[in-house]
Amino acid sequence: MRILEDLGKRLLFFDGGMGTLLQENGLGPGELPELWNLSRPEIIFDIHSRYRRAGADILKTNTFGANAIKLHGSGRSAEEIIFAAVEIAKKAADGALVAMDIGPTGKLLKPLGDLAFEDAVSVFSEAAEVGKKAGADIILIETMSDTYECKAAVLAAKQTGLPVFATMVADEQGKLLTGGDLPAAVALLEGLKVDALGLNCGFGPEQMKRLVPQLLDCCSLPVILNPNAGLPRSEGGKTIFDVNPQDFSAAMEEIARDGAWILGGCCGTTPDYIAALVKRCAKIPPKPLQKKNRTVVSSFAKAMAFGEKPVLIGERINPTGKPKLKQALRGGDMDYLLREGITQQQKGAHILDVNVGLPEIDEPSLLPRAVSEIQSVVDLPLQIDTSDPRAMEAAMRIYNGKPLINSVNGKKESMEAVFPLVKKYGGAVIALTLDENGIPETAQGRYKIAEKIVKTAAEYGIEKKDILVDTLAMTISAGQENAAVTLEALRMVREKLGVFTSLGVSNISFGLPHREHINAVFFTMALQNGLDAAIVNPNSDEMMNAYFAYCALSGKDEKCMAYITRYSEQKAAAPASVQGEITL
Amino acid sequence: MRILEDLGKRLLFFDGGMGTLLQENGLGPGELPELWNLSRPEIIFDIHSRYRRAGADILKTNTFGANAIKLHGSGRSAEEIIFAAVEIAKKAADGALVAMDIGPTGKLLKPLGDLAFEDAVSVFSEAAEVGKKAGADIILIETMSDTYECKAAVLAAKQTGLPVFATMVADEQGKLLTGGDLPAAVALLEGLKVDALGLNCGFGPEQMKRLVPQLLDCCSLPVILNPNAGLPRSEGGKTIFDVNPQDFSAAMEEIARDGAWILGGCCGTTPDYIAALVKRCAKIPPKPLQKKNRTVVSSFAKAMAFGEKPVLIGERINPTGKPKLKQALRGGDMDYLLREGITQQQKGAHILDVNVGLPEIDEPSLLPRAVSEIQSVVDLPLQIDTSDPRAMEAAMRIYNGKPLINSVNGKKESMEAVFPLVKKYGGAVIALTLDENGIPETAQGRYKIAEKIVKTAAEYGIEKKDILVDTLAMTISAGQENAAVTLEALRMVREKLGVFTSLGVSNISFGLPHREHINAVFFTMALQNGLDAAIVNPNSDEMMNAYFAYCALSGKDEKCMAYITRYSEQKAAAPASVQGEITL
Ligand SMILES: [Zn+2]
Ligand SMILES: [Zn+2]
Ligand SMILES: [Zn+2]
């Protein structure tokens, strides 16, 4: 893959659209273009060759719809079509790379539609495996409007060992069809370790150009941009695109100068466009990649970055000490979980912890189910909370986004189980400062374990930005100095190790009366020591008051606007209703 | 005063009792001993001479009851008696010092009794002035069972310019008749700048020995101990004391080794006791004085030291923003103030702020009246809060204890007005970090003013232990960084200047809704930065919850006992009544 080695040394160019050229060659409406790999291979070859001559470094195979679902009833198998397509492209390649092209299935995944996530993975796996066997150099997943389907495709594609590129289709505001934004999509795709990512289709280079800053702002990988030849309109029964090759290449030059590394075209673009593009941009040196080092998790809808405002992780979906939730879980009553999830979001949680661990429950089956159902009603990122690695993998696999994982610890067994999952599925992981020797009584001891965990993670290729250290709040009723040790360890981890921190706050008050007062003050103290995330009860007004007041006082709430908005609406003296925690 | 120069180089010895010896010489029951200065001067001379020969360095004049009140109806004036008494003692002195002896008036001061404070000062002034004129070397105020009367006597005695010694009489637990404890008495007397202080009378050296550690623990001045010859019993119509000279001197040796500098006797002791004492103890080197550097204020009942648990100063007796209190003050309705005082004590305040400043009110008359009335129902130390130096002096003068003063600031005018008062009456003073140029916007600027105030105070002989710096909370609604500046200045003052700190917490939230949340969290943050005292509303549960939780979390509440005690009694969910702030 000689040309891939050029990545970053020079700009690389994709080819342009296939559809327009096939229509010019007589492809009828409703006819599956992929069938031409078998019936009209010379035309496909000719198109590839023209793109290669125009200067394309990477040729997309004519396999956009070549999957079992779209080909159903065509009388042809995906396998024979893909084999033919890759063969044709390779014949035309003349030193260019061949990208096995994978488009969406055309079906919506559960819970929005009917297609099960694992069925989507199977469909994409078949295509990807055949593509690899046939000799493709890269797998390109493109025109994805749903990050969840994209995740299924990436998991399948990564299985081949080939480089995986993925491009999404967004609207002019950068929103996907499913409502997700670019930072959420980037978090997911970077977590899954694709090799390059970006946008294709949807609109022309002018509109795409406007999304480039948003994309580069959160993305640390090479960026691919394959816009259409502008916006389509119908003219005399034919679809005409409104940007000509010169204007196309002019806009693409700006995009290149902004920092995109891989440029090409989608609908409406032809070899003329690619020729103009290559001519204009070939000599532009690629802008060096900027590693963003953002610690981020995401749902399908949005990304949540750590290190800005402190992040609130809702603790209510965890059966420990909650008899009613235990009962609901035993009875498989998901409604109860969903209500807890919705309430916590309304109360202001940024992430929801999901823990269904009970001795009598089949966690590897229930945890992914719970995650999936909660994601169908709540668009917050989730924290997958389990000590069972099988349950953890099942939930991480099905999760739509980049999850927070709770937790790994300093034990060899824990790190060996968790880190491969984080590597494969992506995620940020909470690291507890305990190991085979228990929980150190000193801040220095806890710091040392944090250091060991970060070092071991690095051996798995997991960066420290994807670790949040929890220095373990232990109840002060058992030891006067417990709070001080936790807070000091927290400060050390942030300042010396340079890693973000999280705490399960409420453990600090175990065994004491009126625990909320202790929790709220400890929370404030931890925030002042630099706490980045906290597992708290968002239904507790004392905790939320502490949070909003702290943000206002520490300058993290600009002009106190969030505080004023929240509290101006509340009546000054309604403590009885304000208290309103759901009692289990 | 050659012998006083020996103070600290060797132990000094007082003489012993006068009464026992006068009775042996025929003083009848009910006869005023002081009249013998005129009628039997040779006997008084003989007693003094015997004490001098026994080794006494300081002779007490026979003037214990020589004041206008006790001599009323005797036909003799205090003036002629004192003149005679001092003359006799000087004649017998032979190089010893003559201490003009002042005992209590025998009347209770207002509000417990009828004697007005300033009338007591007048009575004592007359005696002290005559004593000085007659040639006494020292004024010894002794057998005081009420710190308030003692304060009147010390103010009078200090007026003469002579060295002033003061000894109190306590019970075996170290409590005065008025309920005050030794730390409270020491705080008051050190504040008034007596030259030596201690205990006399009440019981024998064994009992007194047990109080010595308590006394030395809080006292930085030379300690005087003049016990009785044990406990008295009646035997054949005569009063017999149960400790003989040998046992007396043995117990006194232990007291000397513990650190007392000036030893003698009271009731029942005779020249034999003093001879035995001097023989046994003359060669014991005085233990070096230990400067306690305690920052302390007091009421008549108890002392409050800063730097241990954070100190809560109740803010409710201040008309700012309290229309009902304004109305009460205008109408001279003291009951309203008293209720506010009692409520705040019940809610857990350690000190009460007293501010009656209103434009239409005669503060120099009302402030001392308010202070006096509040002290009659509340035994907490008070913070005298006024910007009027005349009102400040009037209140400091009448105050029973060592007050907290609010405030001085970095303006020349303020320091010139306040520091002489602190020097004269004693007190710890809140120093606001503002000066002629206003309030600095930076922490460094506020720190510089604190430094200037501490330096100027030193020129007045006021130690930095008696200053608490307030780095001025300004509302965050006017500036995002206001909290950070105040907190940083606070940290600097504590760490670099080594001075305790106080804050008027609630200013931080001015103009915001639900101010209590901001106040409580800012209070917590300030406590974490080392805040030693806070002016807060003790009726606010949020503030008190923050306080008790912080103390538990920071290890300042041993084994969380205060927290557990406070909250175990409260029902878990009674927010409506818990809120119960008195609305004005
Ligand atoms: Zn397209
Ligand atoms: Zn409570
Ligand atoms: Zn006595």
Side-chain angles (χ1 to χ4, degrees):
Chain A
M1 285 179 287
R2 191 179 25 79
I3 288 180
L4 260 194
E5 285 162 15
D6 283 352
L7 198 60
K9 293 179 194 144
R10 63 177 182 89
L11 296 182
L12 295 188
F13 298 96
F14 261 109
D15 55 8
M18 175 68 67
T20 308
L21 300 176
L22 292 179
Q23 281 156 28
E24 281 172 9
N25 281 280
L27 184 76
E31 202 176 344
L32 288 180
E34 291 78 10
L35 294 176
W36 281 30
N37 292 315
L38 301 172
S39 59
R40 311 284 301 271
E42 70 290 352
I43 291 177
I44 307 299
F45 175 84
D46 181 55
I47 293 170
H48 284 322
S49 300
R50 286 168 60 199
Y51 275 123
R52 179 56 181 143
R53 285 196 299 274
D57 298 300
I58 314 173
L59 305 179
K60 301 190 286 275
T61 58
N62 180 29
T63 53
F64 182 79
N67 60 62
I69 293 168
K70 280 197 174 167
L71 292 174
H72 185 75
S74 69
R76 294 298 194 167
S77 74
E79 183 168 5
E80 56 185 327
I81 288 174
I82 292 168
F83 248 107
V86 173
E87 213 154 81
I88 299 164
K90 287 192 76 75
K91 228 192 296 169
D94 185 25
L97 296 171
V98 170
M100 160 71 194
D101 189 291
I102 293 182
T105 60
K107 292 209 165 191
L108 283 174
L109 266 67
K110 287 183 179 173
L112 292 173
D114 294 328
L115 185 59
F117 182 79
E118 292 299 345
D119 289 343
V121 175
S122 297
V123 166
F124 290 126
S125 281
E126 185 194 13
E129 289 299 339
V130 175
K132 174 170 186 183
K133 233 181 283 172
D137 302 304
I138 296 170
I139 295 179
L140 171 68
I141 298 157
E142 62 145 313
T143 325
M144 285 287 171
S145 58
D146 175 4
T147 50
Y148 202 30
E149 184 172 12
C150 190
K151 174 172 179 172
V154 171
L155 283 178
K158 290 288 289 184
Q159 221 43 45
T160 63
L162 290 179
V164 176
F165 289 7
T167 60
M168 315 290 297
V169 57
D171 68 16
E172 292 189 29
Q173 279 69 48
K175 284 283 167 78
L176 307 199
L177 185 65
T178 48
D181 59 16
L182 294 184
V186 169
L188 173 71
L189 293 171
E190 288 195 347
L192 292 169
K193 318 278 177 314
V194 300
D195 299 279
L197 62 80
L199 296 169
N200 74 293
C201 205
F203 34 58
E206 277 299 333
Q207 293 82 3
M208 204 168 268
K209 203 178 69 187
R210 276 177 236 131
L211 295 179
V212 169
Q214 213 187 107
L215 194 56
L216 287 172
D217 217 42
C218 59
C219 182
S220 301
L221 293 176
V223 163
I224 307 164
L225 292 168
N226 290 336
N228 294 342
L231 299 168
R233 63 174 190 276
S234 209
E235 205 167 85
K238 266 184 76 181
T239 300
I240 305 284
F241 286 84
D242 67 356
V243 175
N244 66 34
Q246 281 326 108
D247 295 343
F248 183 88
S249 65
M252 291 301 271
E253 180 183 346
E254 293 185 57
I255 287 176
R257 295 203 186 275
D258 282 347
W261 275 16
I262 309 175
L263 306 169
C266 197
C267 307
T269 61
T270 63
D272 289 349
Y273 286 79
I274 299 306
L277 167 65
V278 172
K279 194 174 163 202
R280 185 152 191 151
C281 299
K283 297 272 189 264
I284 297 173
K287 204 169 160 182
L289 284 193
Q290 291 196 330
K291 188 118 182 36
K292 299 308 181 298
N293 264 319
R294 292 170 86 227
T295 298
V296 66
V297 296
S298 67
S299 65
F300 63 94
K302 50 192 169 191
M304 169 63 55
F306 293 84
E308 296 161 15
K309 272 198 186 188
V311 170
L312 299 172
I313 305 167
E315 70 180 14
R316 299 292 302 165
I317 304 178
N318 183 328
T320 311
K322 305 192 187 73
K324 284 200 187 166
L325 179 55
K326 279 185 188 162
Q327 202 184 324
L329 289 174
R330 283 191 202 105
D333 172 9
M334 283 291 156
D335 286 355
Y336 190 89
L337 259 73
L338 302 188
R339 278 201 308 277
E340 284 286 7
I342 291 165
T343 305
Q344 290 183 93
Q345 176 159 35
Q346 284 166 347
K347 291 284 186 177
H350 303 124
I351 294 176
L352 301 184
D353 182 74
V354 182
N355 181 320
V356 297
L358 281 177
E360 63 274 37
I361 267 175
D362 177 21
E363 230 188 312
S365 136
L366 187 63
L367 186 59
R369 193 178 143 214
V371 160
S372 185
E373 297 238 20
I374 293 166
Q375 284 208 296
S376 73
V377 297
V378 168
D379 69 356
L380 297 179
L382 300 184
Q383 168 168 282
I384 294 170
D385 183 0
T386 177
S387 54
D388 178 339
R390 288 172 313 139
M392 191 180 278
E393 173 157 22
M396 288 175 81
R397 191 169 170 87
I398 200 118
Y399 180 73
N400 188 359
K402 179 186 177 191
L404 188 56
I405 303 301
N406 192 6
S407 58
V408 72
N409 62 52
K411 292 181 188 167
K412 195 160 175 287
E413 186 189 4
S414 169
M415 295 192 284
E416 284 177 355
V418 173
F419 285 149
L421 301 182
V422 175
K423 172 74 175 165
K424 176 169 183 182
Y425 296 102
V429 62
I430 306 270
L432 309 182
T433 54
L434 61 87
D435 65 8
E436 287 81 358
N437 300 314
I439 300 171
E441 284 184 14
T442 65
Q444 178 64 20
R446 296 190 198 175
Y447 176 81
K448 282 281 166 205
I449 293 179
E451 214 173 36
K452 173 175 79 179
I453 295 172
V454 166
K455 194 165 157 278
T456 308
E459 291 162 13
Y460 285 85
I462 297 165
E463 299 172 68
K464 71 180 183 183
K465 76 170 176 67
D466 280 329
I467 296 172
L468 289 104
V469 171
D470 181 330
T471 57
L472 299 172
M474 313 277 287
T475 177
I476 53 169
S477 70
Q480 193 75 48
E481 65 305 315
N482 279 349
V485 170
T486 304
L487 293 173
E488 172 62 9
L490 183 69
R491 203 192 49 73
M492 287 171 74
V493 164
R494 273 200 115 251
E495 291 180 8
K496 291 174 62 183
L497 200 55
V499 169
F500 287 130
T501 53
S502 178
L503 271 182
V505 169
S506 54
N507 296 335
I508 199 72
S509 61
F510 188 80
L512 290 174
H514 286 237
R515 295 180 59 180
E516 292 301 283
H517 307 331
I518 298 279
N519 293 350
V521 167
F522 180 65
F523 184 30
T524 304
M525 293 169 81
L527 288 169
Q528 215 181 344
N529 270 33
L531 184 67
D532 304 287
I535 304 176
V536 298
N537 179 359
N539 304 333
S540 158
D541 285 304
E542 271 188 73
M543 294 305 275
M544 297 306 275
N545 293 344
Y547 177 77
F548 279 89
Y550 174 81
C551 288
L553 284 159
S554 62
K556 293 184 189 224
D557 174 7
E558 208 181 333
K559 293 190 174 169
C560 308
M561 283 318 295
Y563 188 88
I564 291 168
T565 304
R566 182 181 176 95
Y567 293 101
S568 295
E569 292 158 7
Q570 290 185 17
K571 284 194 192 67
S577 71
V578 170
Q579 193 78 358
E581 177 183 335
I582 293 172
T583 313
L584 293 185
Chain B
M1 283 179 289
R2 191 179 25 79
I3 287 177
L4 260 194
E5 287 162 15
D6 283 350
L7 199 60
K9 293 179 196 144
R10 62 176 183 90
L11 297 181
L12 294 188
F13 298 97
F14 261 109
D15 55 8
M18 175 70 66
T20 309
L21 300 176
L22 292 180
Q23 281 157 27
E24 281 172 8
N25 281 282
L27 183 76
E31 201 177 344
L32 288 179
E34 291 79 9
L35 295 178
W36 280 29
N37 292 316
L38 301 174
S39 59
R40 310 286 299 273
E42 71 290 352
I43 291 177
I44 309 297
F45 175 85
D46 180 57
I47 294 171
H48 285 321
S49 299
R50 286 168 61 199
Y51 275 123
R52 178 56 180 144
R53 284 197 299 276
D57 298 301
I58 314 172
L59 304 179
K60 301 189 286 272
T61 58
N62 180 29
T63 52
F64 182 79
N67 60 63
I69 293 169
K70 280 197 173 163
L71 292 174
H72 184 75
S74 69
R76 293 299 194 168
S77 75
E79 184 169 4
E80 57 186 326
I81 289 174
I82 292 168
F83 248 107
V86 173
E87 212 154 82
I88 300 164
K90 286 192 76 75
K91 229 192 299 171
D94 184 25
L97 298 171
V98 170
M100 160 71 195
D101 190 294
I102 294 182
T105 60
K107 291 208 165 194
L108 283 173
L109 267 67
K110 287 182 179 173
L112 291 175
D114 294 329
L115 185 60
F117 182 78
E118 291 300 344
D119 291 342
V121 174
S122 298
V123 166
F124 290 126
S125 281
E126 186 194 11
E129 288 299 338
V130 176
K132 174 171 186 181
K133 235 182 283 173
D137 303 304
I138 295 170
I139 295 180
L140 171 69
I141 298 157
E142 62 145 314
T143 324
M144 286 287 172
S145 57
D146 175 4
T147 50
Y148 202 31
E149 184 172 12
C150 190
K151 175 172 178 173
V154 171
L155 283 178
K158 289 289 290 183
Q159 220 45 43
T160 64
L162 290 179
V164 177
F165 290 7
T167 58
M168 314 291 296
V169 57
D171 67 16
E172 292 188 30
Q173 280 70 50
K175 285 282 167 79
L176 307 201
L177 186 66
T178 48
D181 59 16
L182 294 183
V186 169
L188 173 71
L189 293 172
E190 288 195 347
L192 291 169
K193 318 281 178 310
V194 300
D195 298 279
L197 61 79
L199 296 169
N200 74 292
C201 204
F203 34 58
E206 277 297 334
Q207 293 80 5
M208 206 169 267
K209 203 179 68 187
R210 275 177 237 132
L211 295 180
V212 170
Q214 215 186 107
L215 195 57
L216 288 172
D217 218 44
C218 60
C219 182
S220 301
L221 293 176
V223 163
I224 306 163
L225 292 169
N226 290 337
N228 293 340
L231 299 167
R233 63 172 190 276
S234 210
E235 205 167 83
K238 267 186 73 180
T239 301
I240 304 287
F241 286 84
D242 67 356
V243 175
N244 65 34
Q246 280 326 108
D247 294 344
F248 183 87
S249 64
M252 292 301 271
E253 179 183 346
E254 292 184 57
I255 288 175
R257 295 202 186 275
D258 281 348
W261 276 15
I262 309 175
L263 305 170
C266 197
C267 307
T269 61
T270 64
D272 289 349
Y273 286 80
I274 302 305
L277 168 64
V278 173
K279 193 173 164 203
R280 185 152 191 153
C281 298
K283 297 269 187 267
I284 298 174
K287 204 169 160 181
L289 284 193
Q290 291 194 330
K291 187 115 185 41
K292 299 308 180 301
N293 265 317
R294 291 170 86 228
T295 298
V296 66
V297 296
S298 67
S299 65
F300 63 93
K302 50 192 172 192
M304 169 65 54
F306 294 85
E308 297 161 13
K309 271 197 186 190
V311 170
L312 298 172
I313 305 168
E315 71 180 13
R316 299 291 302 165
I317 305 179
N318 183 329
T320 311
K322 304 191 187 74
K324 284 199 187 170
L325 179 55
K326 280 184 187 160
Q327 201 184 321
L329 290 174
R330 284 192 200 103
D333 173 9
M334 284 291 155
D335 286 354
Y336 191 89
L337 260 72
L338 302 188
R339 278 201 309 276
E340 284 285 8
I342 291 166
T343 306
Q344 290 182 92
Q345 176 160 34
Q346 284 166 346
K347 291 283 188 176
H350 303 123
I351 294 176
L352 301 184
D353 183 72
V354 181
N355 182 319
V356 299
L358 282 176
E360 63 274 37
I361 266 176
D362 177 21
E363 229 187 313
S365 135
L366 188 63
L367 186 58
R369 191 178 143 214
V371 161
S372 185
E373 297 237 21
I374 292 166
Q375 284 208 295
S376 72
V377 298
V378 169
D379 68 357
L380 296 180
L382 300 184
Q383 168 167 283
I384 294 170
D385 183 1
T386 177
S387 54
D388 179 339
R390 288 172 313 136
M392 191 181 278
E393 174 157 22
M396 288 175 81
R397 191 168 170 88
I398 199 115
Y399 180 74
N400 189 359
K402 179 187 178 191
L404 188 55
I405 304 301
N406 190 6
S407 58
V408 72
N409 61 52
K411 290 181 188 167
K412 195 160 173 285
E413 187 190 2
S414 170
M415 295 191 285
E416 284 177 357
V418 173
F419 285 149
L421 300 181
V422 175
K423 171 74 176 166
K424 178 169 181 181
Y425 296 102
V429 62
I430 306 272
L432 308 182
T433 54
L434 61 87
D435 65 8
E436 287 82 359
N437 300 314
I439 300 172
E441 283 184 14
T442 64
Q444 179 64 20
R446 296 189 198 178
Y447 176 80
K448 283 281 167 205
I449 293 179
E451 215 173 35
K452 174 175 77 177
I453 295 173
V454 166
K455 194 165 157 280
T456 309
E459 292 163 12
Y460 284 85
I462 297 165
E463 300 173 68
K464 71 179 183 183
K465 76 171 176 65
D466 280 329
I467 296 173
L468 288 103
V469 171
D470 182 330
T471 57
L472 298 173
M474 313 277 288
T475 176
I476 53 169
S477 70
Q480 194 77 48
E481 65 306 314
N482 279 349
V485 170
T486 304
L487 293 174
E488 173 62 8
L490 182 70
R491 203 191 48 73
M492 288 171 74
V493 164
R494 274 200 115 251
E495 290 180 7
K496 290 175 60 183
L497 199 55
V499 169
F500 287 130
T501 53
S502 178
L503 271 182
V505 170
S506 53
N507 296 334
I508 199 73
S509 60
F510 188 79
L512 290 174
H514 286 239
R515 296 179 57 180
E516 292 299 286
H517 307 332
I518 298 279
N519 293 351
V521 167
F522 180 65
F523 184 30
T524 304
M525 293 169 81
L527 288 170
Q528 214 181 344
N529 270 33
L531 184 67
D532 304 286
I535 304 175
V536 299
N537 179 359
N539 304 334
S540 157
D541 284 305
E542 270 188 74
M543 294 305 276
M544 298 305 276
N545 292 344
Y547 177 77
F548 278 90
Y550 175 81
C551 288
L553 285 160
S554 62
K556 292 182 192 228
D557 174 7
E558 207 180 333
K559 293 191 174 167
C560 308
M561 283 318 294
Y563 188 88
I564 292 169
T565 305
R566 182 181 175 95
Y567 293 102
S568 294
E569 292 158 7
Q570 288 185 18
K571 285 195 191 68
S577 71
V578 170
Q579 193 79 357
E581 178 182 337
I582 293 171
T583 313
L584 292 185

